[in-house]
Amino acid sequence: MKTIKTQVGIVGAGPSGLLLAQMLHLAGIESVILESRSRAYIENRQRAGVLEHGVVQTLRDCGVGHRLAREGMVHEGIDIRFGEKRHRLDVKALSGGQCVTVYPQHEIVKDLVEARLRTGHPILFGAKATSLLALDQPRPRVRYEHEGEACELECDFVAGCDGFHGISRAAVPAGQLEIYGRDYPFAWLGILAEAPPASHEVIYAHHERGFALQSMRSPSVSRLYLQCAIDEDVDQWSDDRIWSELHARFATDDGFLLNEGRIVQKSLTPMRSFVTAPMRHGRLMLAGDAAHIVPPTGAKGLNSAVGDVRIMAAGLDAYYRRGQSDLLDRYSDIALHRVWKTQRFAASLCTLLHRFHDEPRFQLQMQLAELRQIVEDARAAELFARNYTGLPFDV
Ligand code: RFL
Ligand code: PHB
């Protein structure tokens, strides 16, 4: 069987795997990335949009911030709507100077793939990992298929960066992982529209008909989401129906109007909170969506993945540079400390903004009271802004 040897075997070329590879490269550590999909597929997959302050800094520090600095849209505030009124939260002032940047995830993926290719180190597309072996031994192995051939990657550590549906988490023996989670009884219908965003900041709209969100991908392309049923048939949503529902949910008493445009993509996203603990088993370390999922309301998934990768890279650096394994041994504890804070924020924002169909009318009043507190009470607003723009990284 064809075998490649390296220091760190990385399964998955999403933001987690690609950023880890770049950080390891900068630290002089060798790695091989295995990605089951094609380069074109991962570079066009529509996902996240909002980057925390510290994530932008991390990407810059890793030498992949040039296009982000040019094309990223820096946002100093967000618009929260409820009861047909809009409220601007100046998150920059409230958080002590931190902004968020809207820059699509697939553009980060493009920047990181380009950086990887420039290093000349291996990234194999169409390489599907099929099993992880000897995870409790000094040299674990990843078995994978590439160009119709069964191959093996032998390494010191395996970084499981293969997302929620990957094989890494499942490779941990039964009973060794604790799973925490919740599935929400609704989904998001997301669209990409060739329409300039009507507001230059992201809008979070609480409405009796359900939650809606306006974001953007560029000054001429809007990204919009609508809360919908979990089993919604996207084909039942004509463009006219989507626009009329969006208009209803974003309406304010001062006559705000969304810009319409050609809808070029429609998709359905389920909503889930999920954490696996510990995030390490033997020589396998999980990062990003392979270890935890947040409902997208707080825009935390990708940001949380970057938090994991920073800790893992620092641990590997200490291990290879100084022969110290204590940081690596504490990887899971350090990562989970931040993961749970992020989970709390994302889950609470999700339950604050969405309608639950079985909820008593009482619950709606609770949501409105909390929303009022966020926009009226400076301390509640500050806490929100600090979570939204990003808590400090532990490493
Ligand atoms: P990914 O991006 O899923 O990448 C995993 C990679 O692993 C590959 N893979 C395999 N490769 C080899 N062998 C196998 N057996 C493999 N199995 C899988 C996959 O092909 C893939 O390329 O995980 P990663 O890197 O951990 O990144 C996580 C983020 O993608 C995710 O958290 C965010 O997209 C979540 N998210 C958001 N996060 C934010 O921080 N800000 C946002 O504004 C935001 N908005 C969103 C979002 C996610 C959304 N969806 C679609 C779930 C909005 C939406 C609608
Ligand atoms: C997005 O731009 O896709 C986006 C923005 C804000 C969120 C979630 C997703 O909270």
Side-chain angles (χ1 to χ4, degrees):
M1 187 182 303
K2 179 176 166 190
T3 302
I4 325 180
K5 296 184 183 185
T6 191
Q7 290 179 303
V8 181
I10 302 177
V11 186
S16 305
L18 288 165
L19 181 63
L20 177 66
Q22 176 70 0
M23 288 186 156
L24 294 182
H25 166 68
L26 295 174
I29 301 167
E30 271 180 28
S31 66
V32 171
I33 311 177
L34 304 176
E35 167 57 49
S36 57
R37 304 283 193 165
S38 67
R39 179 177 177 188
Y41 183 91
I42 64 163
E43 289 188 347
N44 289 292
R45 188 165 42 195
Q46 285 292 327
R47 288 227 176 135
V50 176
L51 307 182
E52 291 176 358
H53 178 86
V55 167
V56 171
Q57 195 55 49
T58 301
L59 293 167
R60 273 195 209 137
D61 294 346
C62 291
V64 286
H66 299 294
R67 209 155 61 87
L68 166 62
R70 255 190 348 262
E71 297 173 21
M73 292 167 276
V74 177
H75 288 195
E76 297 184 357
I78 59 167
D79 177 336
I80 299 189
R81 298 186 175 185
F82 53 95
E84 300 214 334
K85 297 239 179 299
R86 40 173 146 178
H87 306 266
R88 180 172 188 272
L89 275 193
D90 184 337
V91 294
K92 183 177 183 189
L94 287 162
S95 66
Q98 300 200 138
C99 299
V100 294
T101 299
V102 175
Y103 185 67
Q105 176 170 326
H106 63 274
E107 301 296 348
I108 298 178
V109 166
K110 280 184 202 162
D111 297 343
L112 285 165
V113 167
E114 199 192 299
R116 178 66 179 182
L117 293 172
R118 262 202 316 268
T119 66
H121 296 308
I123 172 165
L124 306 183
F125 294 105
K128 186 177 167 55
T130 51
S131 56
L132 306 185
L133 308 168
L135 292 173
D136 51 0
Q137 302 294 315
R139 291 286 284 175
R141 301 187 315 276
V142 182
R143 203 159 273 177
Y144 64 99
E145 287 162 9
H146 190 225
E147 296 170 345
E149 207 185 330
C151 312
E152 228 171 56
L153 175 64
E154 190 190 303
C155 44
D156 297 333
F157 296 97
V158 179
C161 300
D162 48 353
F164 186 66
H165 300 289
I167 61 150
S168 297
R169 193 178 60 251
V172 178
Q176 300 282 313
L177 289 183
E178 200 75 55
I179 304 288
Y180 304 86
R182 167 171 195 196
D183 290 334
Y184 296 89
F186 40 73
W188 277 8
L189 173 65
I191 65 157
L192 208 56
E194 287 171 347
S199 150
H200 72 281
E201 291 178 339
V202 177
I203 309 174
Y204 291 85
H206 175 278
H207 196 277
E208 291 202 22
R209 299 179 66 88
F211 172 70
L213 185 133
Q214 185 220 248
S215 181
M216 60 213 65
R217 289 295 174 261
S218 73
S220 56
V221 175
S222 298
R223 176 77 164 146
L224 295 132
Y225 300 99
L226 277 173
Q227 177 186 351
C228 63
I230 198 158
D231 54 356
E232 199 78 57
D233 177 0
V234 176
D235 295 337
Q236 295 299 306
W237 284 82
S238 66
D239 292 8
D240 283 349
R241 183 176 171 209
I242 290 175
W243 287 118
S244 99
E245 194 59 38
L246 286 168
H247 284 304
R249 296 191 196 182
F250 284 111
T252 49
D253 56 7
D254 58 2
F256 170 87
L257 209 54
L258 277 178
N259 293 322
E260 291 192 20
R262 193 166 73 92
I263 297 179
V264 290
Q265 201 196 79
K266 295 179 193 171
S267 59
L268 198 71
T269 302
M271 312 284 273
R272 175 181 292 130
S273 291
F274 174 91
V275 178
T276 188
M279 288 168 58
R280 174 168 179 180
H281 171 77
R283 292 197 159 235
L284 166 69
M285 286 175 286
L286 303 172
D289 281 15
H292 42 76
I293 296 280
V294 280
T297 329
K300 290 292 169 209
L302 165 64
N303 292 303
S304 193
V306 171
D308 296 348
V309 167
R310 284 175 58 115
I311 302 161
M312 199 192 292
L316 288 165
D317 185 37
Y319 177 84
Y320 284 110
R321 202 188 292 268
R322 299 191 292 278
Q324 293 169 349
S325 57
D326 55 319
L327 190 53
L328 218 44
D329 292 342
R330 289 188 295 123
Y331 167 67
S332 177
D333 290 344
I334 300 172
L336 283 168
H337 182 76
R338 191 167 193 276
V339 162
W340 277 115
K341 289 184 190 167
T342 304
Q343 287 283 335
R344 186 210 64 79
F345 178 69
S348 68
L349 202 56
C350 182
T351 45
L352 174 65
L353 291 170
H354 291 82
R355 294 304 313 278
F356 289 70
H357 288 302
D358 56 351
E359 75 191 357
R361 287 161 56 241
F362 179 78
Q363 197 54 35
L364 175 62
Q365 296 305 323
M366 291 289 102
Q367 289 180 332
L368 292 170
E370 192 172 337
L371 284 163
R372 266 183 241 117
Q373 187 165 45
I374 291 172
V375 300
E376 288 168 7
D377 175 336
R379 283 207 295 196
E382 268 171 37
L383 188 61
F384 179 94
R386 280 197 282 123
N387 276 283
Y388 189 75
T389 58
L391 298 172
F393 287 119
D394 298 301
V395 169

